[in-house]
């Protein structure tokens, strides 16, 4: 009923689709697909939202990191409520001309074909919660580096976007399947990745035509450590820097 009311109001007022509306729809989808396995609540890990191409273009213009922002939103929501998933949470937004303006078509995936399959799969895994209330089954504290102490500062058109680092691997590229999407012809579809291991970060260029740079040094099909707060990564016309978001000490 809420979805029908929101859709009707949006159409009547010609209200454009915004990120808050997407967040509400994703939250309801998560909450509506809970299952209880041995006193642990599991929710879907993959969410695919299809919207009209015009809404898609307008949203990406305002929020270049939309998929990643929504993934972070759902991850934090799951952490706050103590939910678990069989894989890391992922949100993918796609453009579909069959979807009407200001509406959202949402599908979710739990990692199994049915709730009974998901229950069996989740029961077979050994869920070990850590101090950071990870949303991943059979996880380790390093999966979420030091409780989001680090962040990735991405400069886009002069504006700095700060993204909390909640995973041990962040993919970067032009494709919307990446965690960080950089819509630039100089950026390859799958351009680079940043890995966190042993309390340090490592940048890997994925064999791209234009390569990646750290403090001006060209990296192509190779890896190089990243110094926190000091090293500047250049990919296409964008700059990125790993920073300290806060300290738990």
């Amino acid at each position: 009923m809420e979805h029908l009311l929101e859709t009707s109001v949006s159409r009547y007022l010609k209200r454009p689709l915004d990120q808050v509306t997407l967040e509400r729809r994703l939250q309801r989808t998560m909450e509506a697909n809970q299952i209880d396995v041995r006193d642990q609540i599991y929710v879907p890990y993959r969410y695919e939202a299809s919207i009209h191409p015009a809404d898609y273009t307008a949203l990406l213009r305002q929020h270049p990191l939309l998929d990643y922002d929504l993934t972070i939103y759902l991850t934090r929501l799951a952490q706050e409520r103590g939910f678990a998933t069989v894989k890391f949470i992922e949100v993918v937004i796609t453009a579909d001309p069959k979807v009407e303006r200001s509406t959202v078509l949402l599908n979710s995936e739990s990692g199994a074909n049915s709730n009974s399959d998901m229950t069996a799969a989740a029961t077979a895994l050994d869920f070990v919660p850590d101090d950071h209330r990870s949303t991943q089954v059979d996880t380790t504290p390093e999966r979420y580096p030091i409780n989001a102490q680090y962040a990735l500062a991405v400069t886009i058109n002069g504006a700095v976007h700060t993204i909390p680092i909640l995973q041990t691997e962040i993919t970067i590229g032009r494709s919307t399947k990446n965690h960080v999407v950089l819509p630039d012809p100089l950026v390859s579809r799958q351009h680079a990745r940043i890995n966190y291991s042993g309390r340090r970060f490592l940048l890997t260029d994925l064999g791209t035509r234009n390569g990646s740079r750290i403090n001006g040094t060209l990296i192509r099909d190779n890896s190089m450590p990243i110094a926190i707060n000091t090293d500047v990564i250049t990919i296409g016309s964008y700059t990125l820097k790993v920073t300290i978001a806060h300290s738990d000490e």
Side-chain angles (χ1 to χ4, degrees):
M1 288 297 295
E2 286 179 300
H3 167 56
L4 290 174
L5 180 60
E6 282 180 1
T7 302
S8 299
V9 171
S10 295
R11 287 174 181 166
Y12 179 75
L13 299 177
K14 296 182 179 180
R15 182 187 300 168
L17 189 64
D18 57 17
Q19 182 172 336
V20 174
T21 301
L22 282 172
E23 289 175 352
R24 285 201 299 262
R25 291 295 313 282
L26 288 165
Q27 177 179 338
R28 288 180 198 145
T29 300
M30 173 180 280
E31 293 171 342
N33 290 278
Q34 302 177 31
I35 66 167
D36 191 336
V37 181
R38 296 189 303 180
D39 298 324
Q40 172 64 58
I41 301 299
Y42 285 80
V43 293
Y45 73 90
R46 182 177 172 85
Y47 301 79
E48 296 183 0
S50 299
I51 59 180
H52 191 275
D55 289 329
Y56 181 82
T57 301
L59 275 169
L60 276 193
R61 188 178 298 118
Q62 298 176 16
H63 308 283
L65 307 176
L66 182 63
D67 288 25
Y68 192 75
D69 289 343
L70 293 173
T71 297
I72 294 299
Y73 170 79
L74 277 191
T75 299
R76 284 177 169 169
L77 183 65
Q79 289 173 331
E80 290 169 1
R81 301 191 180 183
F83 295 152
T85 58
V86 297
K87 293 183 180 180
F88 280 122
I89 291 175
E90 179 183 17
V91 178
V92 178
I93 310 297
T94 60
D96 187 347
K98 296 179 182 178
V99 179
E100 296 185 32
R101 289 291 304 271
S102 301
T103 62
V104 184
L105 179 63
L106 247 171
N107 293 310
S108 63
E109 183 178 345
S110 63
N113 296 324
S114 66
N115 276 358
S116 60
D117 289 342
M118 183 177 174
T119 301
T123 303
L125 293 169
D126 181 20
F127 178 73
V128 183
D130 61 22
D131 293 338
H132 310 311
R133 300 185 65 183
S134 169
T135 59
Q136 171 77 2
V137 175
D138 193 21
T139 187
T140 62
E142 191 180 76
R143 185 71 69 177
Y144 292 97
I146 315 181
N147 198 20
Q149 178 180 351
Y150 300 111
L152 185 65
V154 184
T155 303
I156 302 175
N157 297 327
V160 179
H161 301 260
T162 302
I163 307 167
I165 296 177
L166 300 179
Q167 295 173 250
T168 54
E169 180 174 286
I170 298 175
T171 58
I172 304 167
R174 201 174 67 249
S175 170
T176 55
K177 294 181 179 180
N178 292 288
H179 295 117
V180 179
V181 181
L182 304 179
D184 184 332
L186 297 176
V187 178
S188 300
R189 293 181 61 81
Q190 307 293 332
H191 196 102
R193 66 172 179 264
I194 295 175
N195 292 93
Y196 177 84
S197 179
R199 300 283 179 111
R200 71 169 189 167
F201 290 91
L202 191 73
L203 175 72
T204 301
D205 180 86
L206 302 177
T208 59
R209 175 181 299 179
N210 296 307
S212 308
R213 294 179 182 273
I214 295 182
N215 300 329
T217 301
L218 180 64
I219 304 171
R220 185 178 288 117
D221 198 17
N222 204 349
S223 301
M224 181 177 290
I226 307 168
I228 300 167
N229 277 341
T230 57
D231 283 350
V232 177
I233 303 166
T234 303
I235 297 177
S237 58
Y238 304 92
T239 60
L240 306 88
K241 180 185 290 187
V242 175
T243 63
I244 295 179
H246 67 268
S247 176
D248 294 334
E249 299 180 356

